[in-house]
Each structure stands twice: as structure tokens, then as C-alpha cells.
Amino acid sequence: MDEETERLDALTQQAGRWLALSASPAERHTTALVAGPYDRVAWRDVYARSAALRELAAQLLTRHAHAPDLLADVFLCAYQAAPRLRDSTVMAPSRLLHHQVVTALTQSPGFAALRRDTAGDAYAAAMAVLAQASALRGLLERSREVRERTGRADRARQEAEAAAAAVGEALRQAAEKADGQGQVPAPVAAAVRRAVGAAEAAEDEARREDSAAAQAMAAAVPGIRSAARNAASAAAEAVRQEAALMRAWGVDAGETERMPFEERARLAERLRSGRLARWAELIGRFRQMAAGERARKVEHATGELVGVTLGDDLSRVIPSELAVLGVPELRAVFAARYAAGELMLYDSRGEQGTGRGAVIACVDTSHSMYAEGPGGVTREAWSKACALALLDQARHAGRDFVGILFSAADKLQVFRFPGDRPARVTDVLDFAETFLGGGTDFQRPLGTAAKMLEEEFDDASRARGDIVLITDDACEVSETWTRLWNEIKRRLDFRLFGIAIATPGTATASGSVLESLCDNLRTVDDLTDVHRAADLFRVI
């Protein structure tokens, strides 16, 4: 072989390893979770719509150049139905921190509880990311060395891949310069050898940086796991509280999932910051109590179910007795027991059956309703919670509901909720958060309620509506008004229930205005006890 030439096949064999690397460099992923197109679209959409997410990304970018990728992984971790973690060996070194964070999140005790509320719900998953903002900021601050080491490893790996590509380029040029016998000029062959040497040096440097990054990561793992546990717990609590807040206000999960992102965010903020936000638990307890009382009702039976008795009232026959009629041989036995008055019947006591007309809640919003009772619960909070439970009651029965907020004679506001259409949560909030202030007058709100029942009777021939007066005060009514009130009450056959909240004994004593007006009057002194109004929901 000529000293000034070398054979191409020998050079190719010498540089073969680097040639293979340059032809198919290993894929390095920048996200720790495997994400399909729909997952990526969900993240891009929620990121574009959420100013809070973009603000968080901008804050984290001052600490970490790849913060958006980290937020995407944390989002997908909460959003995906079954998150799939990539193998760490296929990750770009600079994203190995993300891989460790997501691994720690998925293994934390609070992760399962978090995903029960966030899987498939882009808004809830975004809220989970925001709830972890503080933990992520702290984690990035404490992982400075890891980020620096993995960044160096990433750059070293890129340089090694570039060096391998340079070997391929040198061999390509050598092939172009080779003669018909495969002889390559010495300068070209020397360029190939230099490229191979540079590739070997770059690969050695990449290995050293990988090792240093792995050591830094191993040292940081306990802190990352601790931060991830705290982050998952904080996110789970934030999501749980918002879900509980939505449920307390009667907003079901299906309704929120159909809401546009901006509308849902505005609603959540309003629920968190509204006048009655601190009483969401009380509102939820009222609604749960009312639902439980509805479950105790027996349709077509009068009053409260207290047991089983014997008789011949076919409207109260228990189901097992009626089942006998399905057996021809036993029908004669049923007839004989009916004639003897020995059929088993539901036994009940108390009020007449539920009404058919509208349910109207007249809620006192005079200045005195600001007063707090036990547990710091205000009279307003208690009365509004009761009124919202009455709204649920009416909707369950397909009846119209009207909320009348009143105080002095010149202050009254009416909120209508027809029974044949869904109640918009914003309208419910408007009703719950409105407070008029001033004195107390019964005549105008009760007269307005009676007028509405009269219009309902004239338009739809529905009588037997129910009016619930919730107040903490007593006031005088004129003789003329009382006479007109009694006349319309007899004609429309409606009932007036009264709830006196923390009122003096004289306000509800025999012969008082409240006692004379109401068919059923109860007093509530302990505002933490929602069950004081329980029987109301079995007869309305």
C-alpha cells in the first residue's frame, strides 16, 4: 500500500461504529409520559386558555429552561386515564428530572385520590398543576445542581452525536476521493482518523457527564420524592375542595365537564370568593339532609311514615300485599282480608300530602340577618342554605320554585326557577348572594307570593302551592291585609310554613303574628343544626 494512500474498506471498518451511530442516532424524548394526539391537543388547548398556567410557566422559566415540558408532564400525569411512563434510557438527559418528578408523583399516596377527580377532566387537571405550583418552584430551586449536571450531559450527548455525524461525513468524502481500487489519499484518510478520534473523545466525555448527572440525580431523589408527595397531597386537596364546593352548590360533575374552560374558571372563582363561600359546607349539608328526607317519603301517603298497621285503605297498602293479587289462588284471601279490614298498610302521621303548585321561599334579608349564631353561622347563611334545599326539593318534584328576598316594604327581589327547565347555576348564585338590608315587612313578600300562586292557578289550574317564610323578626300586618290573605289562602288551598330564626319567644308565642299566619311554625336557635328543618322536607 502506498504511504500516501489508504484503502477505503480499512477506513470504513475503523469508523464503522461511528458510522452506525450517525446513520441512526438514538431518539431522545423531551416528555416523560407517552402522549397521544388527543392528549397533546388537550394540553395545548388548556395552556392557551389558562392565563394562570402561562404565568406559572413564565415564572418557572427563570429557573428551568424546559419548564413548559415539565408542566405538560405534570398535567398529563393527572389527566390521562392510564399514564404510561417512558423508560428513562430514552429520555433526553435534560428531562431526566421531569421523569423522576413524574415517577415520584405517580408513586405518592395522594396520587390515586387526585386522579379520581382529574382523569379525563382537562380543567381539573390544570387546576391540579396550579395547586402544585409552590412545590414545583421549590423543587426546581433545590435541584439546581441536578439541572446543571443533566444540562451538561445533554449538551455532551448532543456533541457526541454531532461527532459521530462528522465521522460519517468524513467517510462520505473519503468514498468520493477513492480511486477505482479503493485507494484513498492520505490527507483524506487522516481526516477520517481525526473525526474518529474526536468522536471517541466526545463519547468518553458524554459518559462522564452521564455518570455525574446520575450521581446528582441519585442524591436528589429523596428530596424529589418528598416534594412530589407534598405536591400530590396539595393538588388532591385543592381539587377535592373545588369538587365539594361545586357539589354543595348543586353543580354536578357532568355539568362542569360540559362548561367552556373560561366559564368554569369564572364560576369556580365566584364560588370561592362569593358572600356565602365560607358556608358552602352548610349548604351542602342542607341539601344532603333534604335528599335524605325525600328518600323517607312514601308517595300517596299522608305525613311521616312511622310503621305498618292494619286496615282497608287501598291507597296505603304495602307492596307485599299487592303482590298477592298476582297469584290467582290467593286473590280470594286478599278480598277476605280487605273486607275484614286486615290488610297491612303504611302507617303515617303529621301533615297532609305534598303540594302540587309552586314552592315559594320568602327569605328575610333585613340587617339583623347579619347576626351570627353558634359556630359563627349567620342567620342569612342558614336561611339561604334552607332556601337552596327547597329549590332542590321543588326541582325533584317538577314544581316551580320562586325565591323572594325581602326586607323593608320598598325592598323586594324575585328570582324565578321554572320546574320544566334546568336552573342555571349563575342564577342560583345571584339568588343566594343578594342581600337587601333594611327593616322587616311581611305584607309585601307574602302578598307577592300569593299573587304568583293565583296566577299559576289561573294559568295552569294548579292549586296547593307552598310558601315558606324564613325570618328572624316579627312585624305587624293590617286587618285589611289579613282578611284578603285569608280569603286567597282558602281559595287557592296553599300552605304557609314559618321558620323563625333565633327570634325572641314573644315573636312565636300563641297569638303572635307569625303564629296566626303560619299553618306550621318552627323555631331555630341552633344555626349549626340543619335537622331542625328536616320534617319540612317531608311535607313540601
Side-chain angles (χ1 to χ4, degrees):
M1 181 179 298
D2 192 308
E3 289 184 1
E4 296 186 358
T5 61
E6 293 190 37
R7 290 193 60 81
L8 179 62
D9 53 357
L11 290 173
T12 302
Q13 184 176 7
Q14 183 182 12
R17 177 190 173 201
W18 310 107
L19 185 62
L21 288 175
S22 66
S24 56
E27 183 178 9
R28 299 292 175 178
H29 293 280
T30 58
T31 55
L33 288 169
V34 178
Y38 292 109
D39 294 331
R40 290 191 290 270
V41 167
W43 165 244
R44 288 196 297 267
D45 182 64
V46 78
Y47 186 81
R49 292 172 179 270
S50 173
L53 276 178
R54 296 194 300 274
E55 182 180 349
L56 175 59
Q59 292 173 2
L60 297 184
L61 275 170
T62 62
R63 297 174 171 85
H64 183 39
H66 309 297
D69 289 339
L70 175 60
L71 294 184
D73 275 330
V74 175
F75 169 83
L76 292 173
C77 191
Y79 177 73
Q80 288 182 326
R84 288 191 297 136
L85 198 63
R86 301 186 194 276
D87 192 281
S88 61
T89 58
V90 301
M91 295 290 298
S94 58
R95 308 314 199 275
L96 286 174
L97 176 64
H98 306 181
H99 190 279
Q100 188 59 53
V101 169
V102 172
T103 300
L105 277 174
T106 56
Q107 293 175 353
S108 62
F111 181 70
L114 171 65
R115 294 192 63 261
R116 279 197 292 270
D117 291 314
T118 62
D121 187 338
Y123 173 86
M127 190 179 67
V129 175
L130 294 172
Q132 297 176 73
S134 178
L136 291 174
R137 281 191 289 266
L139 188 150
L140 290 178
E141 190 64 37
R142 292 189 297 272
S143 63
R144 184 188 302 274
E145 183 180 357
V146 172
R147 289 186 286 110
E148 290 176 354
R149 286 292 187 182
T150 55
R152 291 177 191 170
D154 206 0
R155 290 189 294 273
R157 181 55 55 193
Q158 292 171 6
E159 290 171 0
E161 291 173 356
V167 172
E169 177 61 21
L171 281 175
R172 184 187 66 78
Q173 293 180 9
E176 290 178 353
K177 299 291 185 180
D179 59 18
Q181 285 74 43
Q183 301 295 326
V184 178
V188 176
V192 172
R193 286 194 294 273
R194 284 196 301 272
V196 170
E200 289 175 345
E203 179 65 19
D204 289 342
E205 179 64 16
R207 289 197 188 97
R208 284 193 294 272
E209 291 295 349
D210 283 344
S211 177
Q215 291 176 10
M217 183 67 73
V221 163
I224 293 173
R225 287 177 178 169
S226 175
R229 283 195 299 270
N230 294 337
S233 297
E237 179 63 17
V239 172
R240 185 198 65 78
Q241 287 182 359
E242 181 160 310
L245 193 61
M246 291 287 185
R247 286 194 298 270
W249 283 96
V251 186
D252 60 44
E255 184 178 355
T256 55
E257 288 176 9
R258 292 190 297 271
M259 284 183 182
F261 185 91
E262 298 89 340
E263 181 182 347
R264 185 169 174 183
R266 286 194 299 270
L267 173 61
E269 179 58 28
R270 184 175 179 184
L271 292 180
R272 284 192 294 266
S273 60
R275 291 186 65 250
L276 297 182
R278 60 185 291 212
W279 308 123
E281 183 181 356
L282 177 70
I283 293 168
R285 286 170 54 207
F286 248 105
R287 284 181 146 155
Q288 291 171 6
M289 178 271 293
E293 295 303 321
R294 281 197 299 273
R296 295 181 58 189
K297 277 188 177 183
V298 179
E299 295 299 328
H300 312 301
T302 301
E304 177 186 359
L305 175 65
V306 295
V308 175
T309 187
L310 299 178
D312 59 0
D313 185 351
L314 296 178
S315 68
R316 295 191 290 134
V317 174
I318 67 174
S320 60
E321 288 279 40
L322 294 175
V324 170
L325 295 175
V327 182
E329 294 81 358
L330 296 179
R331 289 173 183 169
V333 176
F334 182 91
R337 294 180 62 192
Y338 172 64
E342 295 180 351
L343 293 175
M344 287 191 290
L345 314 175
Y346 285 120
D347 189 16
S348 61
R349 68 184 179 196
E351 300 284 346
Q352 60 176 306
T354 57
R356 294 188 300 272
V359 176
I360 302 178
C362 296
V363 182
D364 187 350
T365 60
S366 60
H367 281 312
S368 58
M369 294 293 282
Y370 273 127
E372 293 185 354
V377 179
T378 64
R379 299 173 185 180
E380 180 203 6
W382 196 96
S383 64
K384 295 287 184 61
C386 183
L388 291 175
L390 287 169
L391 168 60
D392 287 350
Q393 191 84 352
R395 301 206 66 76
H396 185 268
R399 301 166 69 183
D400 292 348
F401 176 83
V402 180
I404 299 178
L405 304 181
F406 71 93
S407 57
D410 61 340
K411 293 185 177 181
L412 182 139
Q413 196 162 345
V414 176
F415 296 84
R416 295 175 180 267
F417 299 91
D420 60 354
R421 70 192 69 157
R424 294 176 54 196
V425 66
T426 51
D427 294 338
V428 175
L429 285 171
D430 288 341
F431 166 60
E433 293 181 343
T434 299
F435 193 87
L436 303 177
T440 305
D441 174 79
F442 291 165
Q443 292 186 183
R444 188 178 176 200
L446 291 178
T448 301
K451 182 67 174 176
M452 289 178 176
L453 292 179
E454 184 176 33
E455 292 172 354
E456 182 182 42
F457 178 76
D458 293 340
D459 294 342
S461 299
R462 284 200 300 268
R464 289 185 59 206
D466 292 311
I467 301 174
V468 182
L469 174 64
I470 308 175
T471 182
D472 70 338
D473 204 353
C475 68
E476 296 300 320
V477 294
S478 70
E479 184 177 343
T480 301
W481 182 90
T482 302
R483 184 171 61 254
L484 293 174
W485 168 263
N486 290 331
E487 288 176 1
I488 194 170
K489 190 170 183 294
R490 280 193 299 270
R491 182 161 64 87
L492 300 178
D493 191 25
F494 63 78
R495 299 173 296 181
L496 175 61
F497 297 86
I499 302 179
I501 303 177
T503 55
T506 55
T508 57
S510 177
S512 67
V513 171
L514 280 175
E515 196 275 337
S516 61
L517 286 176
C518 299
D519 301 295
N520 183 311
L521 176 63
R522 67 210 67 215
T523 59
V524 176
D525 296 317
D526 184 357
L527 301 186
T528 63
D529 184 7
V530 301
H531 296 282
R532 295 298 294 270
D535 61 320
L536 185 69
F537 296 92
R538 291 198 297 274
V539 295
I540 288 183

